[in-house]
Amino acid sequence: MSAISLLVAAPFLMGQSEPVLVPEVSQSRIEVRQGFTGANLLLYGAVIDPRGPANTRDYDIAVVLKGPAEPIRLREKERMAGIWMNAGANDFRSAPSFFAVASSKPIPEIVDPRTAAIYELGTEFIQLSPTGQIEPEEQARYASGLVEMRERLGLYKQNPQGVRISEGVLYQARITLPSNVTTGQYTAETFAIANGRVVASATADIEVVKVGLEGSVVYASQQWALFYGLGAIALSLGMGWIAGQAFSKL
């Protein structure tokens, strides 16, 4: 956080009684091109106490980065007669495509479970929206399975030592986006915590977009869905015909 930013913000904070978070992000737009291998995000900022430096408390910081929410169906498999078969399924209306939490200390050391659940400070506190009637135990099993699956893919993660605080008020956190992230609008929520209570929060937006040839294909599929579909069918038929002609001559 630059000194200029703090000086500009200071006059607007004089009337405040609670601390205020001033967040920044190293990249507000991430471009996914061919050969994209991921991105490293730096989220940083300061906690400003309008009452002055003498009243500054010891703060802990937690950062939650969430990707676009999407519906998902989870299937549970069981081994029957030596064959893995679908034994059940559950739908969630809203599951974040990416979810990462970084904090200055392990979450259980800075807030109680209720507060952690309210602010989704951990993969076990992700607020999913199941469809239909489902028993709480079964819902928890499916939710745990979703988290484990996406943790293996690098899409869900948490780092209890991922935030560094300096001078009591400046913080920085690094979160890595893998190459298989979903494009769309991402939200970085930062929380300042003191004495087990969230005393300030702020949000920053990050856009992940496809550019180049891949971006053009995605744009065409969204803007001209009918023609894109017809073109894809024509291309498939054409490639099949060419392959058939080539093999007929062998």
Side-chain angles (χ1 to χ4, degrees):
M1 171 65 63
S2 65
I4 294 177
S5 298
L6 295 181
L7 289 174
V8 171
F12 299 97
L13 303 176
M14 296 304 294
Q16 299 285 336
S17 59
E18 290 291 332
V20 176
L21 267 169
V22 183
E24 293 288 347
V25 62
S26 60
Q27 295 175 265
S28 60
R29 177 183 169 92
I30 297 174
E31 296 183 344
V32 178
R33 301 176 181 273
Q34 186 174 6
F36 177 72
T37 58
N40 291 313
L41 279 177
L42 174 63
L43 303 106
Y44 60 100
V47 185
I48 302 175
D49 195 319
R51 297 173 299 175
N55 295 289
T56 298
R57 290 172 278 183
D58 290 330
Y59 297 102
D60 283 297
I61 298 292
V63 178
V64 180
L65 179 62
K66 290 187 285 188
E70 57 189 9
I72 185 173
R73 165 167 285 191
L74 293 180
R75 298 185 184 278
E76 190 174 42
K77 293 184 178 293
E78 288 186 3
R79 194 176 182 88
M80 300 179 182
I83 301 174
W84 287 101
M85 302 180 64
N86 291 329
N90 186 43
D91 294 324
F92 291 101
R93 288 190 296 268
S94 178
S97 57
F98 180 86
F99 186 92
V101 177
S103 54
S104 53
K105 294 178 184 175
I107 295 299
E109 295 183 14
I110 57 179
V111 293
D112 58 38
R114 180 176 178 275
T115 302
I118 292 173
Y119 296 101
E120 294 184 282
L121 301 180
T123 53
E124 66 269 37
F125 300 114
I126 297 176
Q127 296 175 8
L128 302 170
S129 302
T131 60
Q133 297 293 326
I134 182 172
E135 295 295 328
E137 296 80 7
E138 187 176 0
Q139 177 183 340
R141 187 174 75 255
Y142 277 103
S144 177
L146 172 63
V147 170
E148 291 179 6
M149 179 181 66
R150 293 196 164 173
E151 282 179 337
R152 290 195 297 270
L153 296 172
L155 296 173
Y156 284 7
K157 59 184 72 178
Q158 47 191 1
N159 185 352
Q161 302 294 336
V163 178
R164 188 175 67 185
I165 300 176
S166 58
E167 300 179 20
V169 295
L170 304 176
Y171 71 88
Q172 65 175 29
R174 292 187 181 275
I175 296 177
T176 301
L177 294 177
S179 60
N180 55 337
V181 291
T182 300
T183 56
Q185 198 75 18
Y186 285 63
T187 302
E189 297 177 286
T190 304
F191 304 97
I193 301 167
N195 300 320
R197 185 172 69 93
V198 174
V199 295
S201 63
T203 301
D205 293 326
I206 301 160
E207 187 180 18
V208 179
V209 296
K210 285 188 176 182
V211 296
L213 177 60
E214 292 185 359
S216 299
V217 171
V218 172
Y219 179 81
S221 68
Q222 295 173 344
Q223 297 298 316
W224 304 291
L226 176 60
F227 296 106
Y228 177 84
L230 293 175
I233 293 172
L235 180 61
S236 298
L237 293 174
M239 294 299 294
W241 181 83
I242 293 173
Q245 292 298 312
F247 281 105
S248 66
K249 297 178 181 180
L250 295 179

